[in-house]
Amino acid sequence: MGWRTATRPRGRRRRALALLLAAALLGGCATDPPVPPAAGSGEAVDGSGRPVTLTVGVYGTFGLKEAGLYDTYMRLHPDVAIRQTSLARADVYYPQLLTHLTAGAGLADIQAVEVGNIAEVVDTQADRLADLAHAPGVREDDFLPWKWAQARTADGRVLGLGTDIGPLAVCYRKDHFAAAGLPTDREEVGRLWAGDWRAYLETGRRFAARAPEGVAFTDSASGVMAAVISGANPRYYDAEGRLVVADNPAVRAAWDLGAEFAEHGLTARLQQFTPDWDQGFAHGRFASIACPAWMLGYIQDKGGPAGQGKWEIAEAPRPGNWGGSFLVVPAAGRHVEEAAALAAWLTAPEQQAVLFERRGSFPSAEAAFGLPQVREARHPYFGDAPVGRIYSAAAMGVPVAPVGPKDGLVNQILSDTGMLQVDQTGRSPESAWRAAMKAIDNALDR
């Protein structure tokens, strides 16, 4: 069984984002392939000789190509060729996508959109995207209701079809838990913190009392905070679309809990999606981590063969959803009808089950949960854990929270401007909170 190894940055400093965006817009990223020809240009994109060539723009290692789905579709449709372009960093990819949508040029026939940006796309780009609600084979009932609703406009159009979601579990190192005198069986471990993220903190304090030298309980305070927020309702926006991050007690409680992990020395003080974080997996520097389904492949990739059999998966203290993506079809494309058909096929339950089996991206289509590739899935790297059962149960418990237009930006600032300073520099939680709220206001021109 293969598993997703996507690099999907969930947060970056705003300044770095601006610099990277400027560099990318001016000259392109040195490590990324060029964007496809402009929609409407009429330029052929490959030499396949097939009448229709569809382009798919994604970020990171999205998994559709790697799972063999394009090859399967082309076998079923001999008149269609598919070409994918990918930018390594989502925080470079998304600003480019907005620029290209506004210009109506430089777009792929299908574009990926991360969940933290989907509300902004729906709010600001609706007239530039195709309605996929009635594309061939699309059935609303196949999808989790909250996932379907995230890409739906007020007048009922559906601008994006969900590829995957990020239901939560906790991944942990059995060898480190054993060394600290904690249980290692996944059911017993889950009971240590069942129902309460504060019980996860108390388990961390027990771990710290007998921890192996150089091993922290978890990777980062930001990771804990993000996991707790992922289960809140509301989170950054209320049901009326108002930004409530500063006044939402659930966000503040998640912040305070993350800060407690830092203050008690329970983190490895790492920033997620950085080379140091990757090395943390490789060298076993932490014993547990909040673990959405898409992270399994990442852990396997960075932990390498040395981690085989040492990692396990237990239920998270509370259900939540961290991450996930959509496919949208720009209306300016040359082959809108054919692109909509491809997007519908790629996100159908049968293909989502294949994507989970081969890459670990958990389906956003509830209808896929009962398919054998999901229902019977186990992961050999994680002690043969029943990942299909664990993540299906987690997905069904996810609270339905509003998604706001700047969710991704708010999350980035809370993590990288705020909590990172608490974790790495010892800044007081109250001071860092005020700085984060000010940074959010500045970023949103409030």
Side-chain angles (χ1 to χ4, degrees):
M1 180 184 292
W3 291 87
R4 188 174 202 161
T5 57
T7 300
R8 308 185 73 187
R10 261 54 182 180
R12 294 289 189 272
R13 290 183 175 86
R14 185 171 178 80
R15 180 179 300 173
L17 185 154
L19 293 173
L20 290 170
L21 172 59
L25 291 176
L26 289 172
C29 175
T31 59
D32 293 329
V35 297
S41 67
E43 181 182 347
V45 295
D46 67 11
S48 69
R50 299 184 183 216
V52 176
T53 297
L54 298 176
T55 52
V56 183
V58 302
Y59 47 85
T61 307
F62 206 75
L64 301 172
K65 178 180 179 181
E66 293 78 5
L69 294 178
Y70 298 158
D71 290 339
T72 300
Y73 193 83
M74 287 188 287
R75 284 197 298 273
L76 296 171
H77 300 81
D79 57 333
V80 174
I82 302 172
R83 177 178 177 240
Q84 177 176 286
T85 60
S86 176
L87 292 180
R89 294 177 293 271
D91 52 0
V92 175
Y93 168 91
Y94 179 62
Q96 284 198 20
L97 174 59
L98 291 181
T99 299
H100 294 156
L101 282 169
T102 300
L107 293 158
D109 294 297
I110 294 174
Q111 298 275 178
V113 177
E114 195 168 30
V115 63
N117 301 315
I118 190 63
E120 182 174 37
V121 167
V122 170
D123 284 352
T124 66
Q125 306 296 326
D127 293 340
R128 301 183 177 99
L129 296 173
D131 182 3
L132 301 176
H134 306 294
V138 171
R139 295 182 296 270
E140 177 179 351
D141 290 345
D142 284 347
F143 291 86
L144 289 163
W146 55 268
K147 185 74 173 183
W148 179 267
Q150 285 174 342
R152 186 172 56 202
T153 64
D155 61 4
R157 288 176 290 161
V158 175
L159 306 181
L161 298 176
T163 57
D164 67 315
I165 58 174
L168 270 185
V170 172
C171 295
Y172 64 97
R173 288 272 301 241
K174 289 184 293 186
D175 53 336
H176 292 334
F177 269 44
L182 294 176
T184 60
D185 175 78
R186 71 174 70 95
E187 303 294 340
E188 292 182 63
V189 170
R191 284 194 288 272
L192 290 174
W193 50 63
D196 189 354
W197 280 103
R198 291 206 64 82
Y200 183 60
L201 174 72
E202 294 307 315
T203 303
R205 299 183 73 169
R206 287 177 57 189
F207 177 87
R210 297 177 58 183
E213 185 175 356
V215 179
F217 180 61
T218 191
D219 66 318
S220 66
S222 293
V224 173
M225 177 183 66
V228 178
I229 290 175
S230 78
N233 180 23
R235 294 195 280 264
Y236 305 139
Y237 288 81
D238 66 13
E240 285 72 43
R242 294 173 298 208
L243 185 70
V244 296
V245 57
D247 302 317
N248 185 351
V251 173
R252 185 56 199 249
W255 173 276
D256 290 341
L257 186 66
E260 281 194 70
F261 273 79
E263 291 178 318
H264 289 299
L266 302 181
T267 79
R269 306 188 187 285
L270 298 169
Q271 183 179 12
Q272 294 192 332
F273 303 103
T274 64
D276 285 346
W277 192 57
D278 295 348
Q279 289 299 308
F281 288 110
H283 299 298
R285 290 180 56 193
F286 48 87
S288 69
I289 183 169
C291 194
W294 49 262
M295 197 178 286
L296 299 180
Y298 199 96
I299 293 173
Q300 182 175 359
D301 183 36
K302 303 306 178 186
Q308 173 86 35
K310 294 179 180 176
W311 283 96
E312 252 287 1
I313 308 170
E315 293 183 13
R318 302 283 299 171
N321 182 74
W322 182 357
S325 298
F326 296 81
L327 297 180
V328 302
V329 175
R334 291 180 301 162
H335 306 293
V336 174
E337 183 178 343
E338 293 87 348
L342 174 59
W345 185 85
L346 289 170
T347 56
E350 294 78 9
Q351 279 64 252
Q352 291 204 32
V354 171
L355 189 63
F356 178 66
E357 180 184 38
R358 298 179 181 174
R359 303 299 301 173
S361 300
F362 195 79
S364 65
E366 185 177 352
F369 293 4
L371 298 177
Q373 298 101 318
V374 179
R375 185 184 66 243
E376 300 169 6
R378 290 181 173 270
H379 202 309
Y381 192 85
F382 292 83
D384 213 27
V387 289
R389 178 179 62 78
I390 292 172
Y391 284 109
S392 292
M396 298 308 294
V398 171
V400 182
V403 177
K406 297 297 183 183
D407 266 23
L409 179 61
V410 171
N411 189 61
Q412 172 191 328
I413 292 173
L414 283 175
S415 295
D416 292 352
T417 301
M419 189 57 71
L420 187 65
Q421 295 186 28
V422 177
D423 208 11
Q424 293 192 344
T425 72
R427 187 172 185 175
S428 77
E430 189 58 39
S431 173
W433 171 264
R434 290 196 300 270
M437 294 303 107
K438 183 177 180 180
I440 290 170
D441 286 344
N442 290 340
L444 301 183
D445 293 326
R446 284 160 48 91

